[in-house]
Amino acid sequence: MIVNIKEIESENIDLAMKKSDKIIIDFFTKWCPSCRMVAMNLEEFEENHPEVLIIQIDAGEYKTLTDLYKVKTAPTLLFFKNGNYLDRHQGFIETEEITNNKKELWNRFLF
């Protein structure tokens, strides 16, 4: 499921993270072409992985969260499992890269 931060409100991001085992947080900006391509790839990824919650956050609009997660560039993807931070990816990423690289990462962490 893909949700925009406006749908869950920034105050409830912790609650959303507790409800889902696997989460990708996508920090983007409206003016960034790479961000739009990553968003399309995340939509494709989500079709095959509905168990992953994808939260999209406009980095320009939500500076508090951008600072909290130390996001310096867009697009930036943050990966969480069971509420624990696993990894980040900055810049463009293909759908296959998300699936293959991150599946190994998620499976490696047994909590």
Side-chain angles (χ1 to χ4, degrees), residues 16-17 20-25 52-53 55 78-80 106:
M17 291 182 72
S20 184
D21 292 351
K22 298 175 183 177
I23 297 173
I24 298 173
I25 299 180
V52 177
L53 174 64
I55 301 173
L78 303 179
F79 298 86
F80 294 84
W106 286 326

Side-chain angles (χ1 to χ4, degrees), residues 22-33:
K22 298 175 183 177
I23 297 173
I24 298 173
I25 299 180
D26 171 26
F27 283 90
F28 70 95
T29 60
K30 295 174 185 168
W31 51 264
C32 169

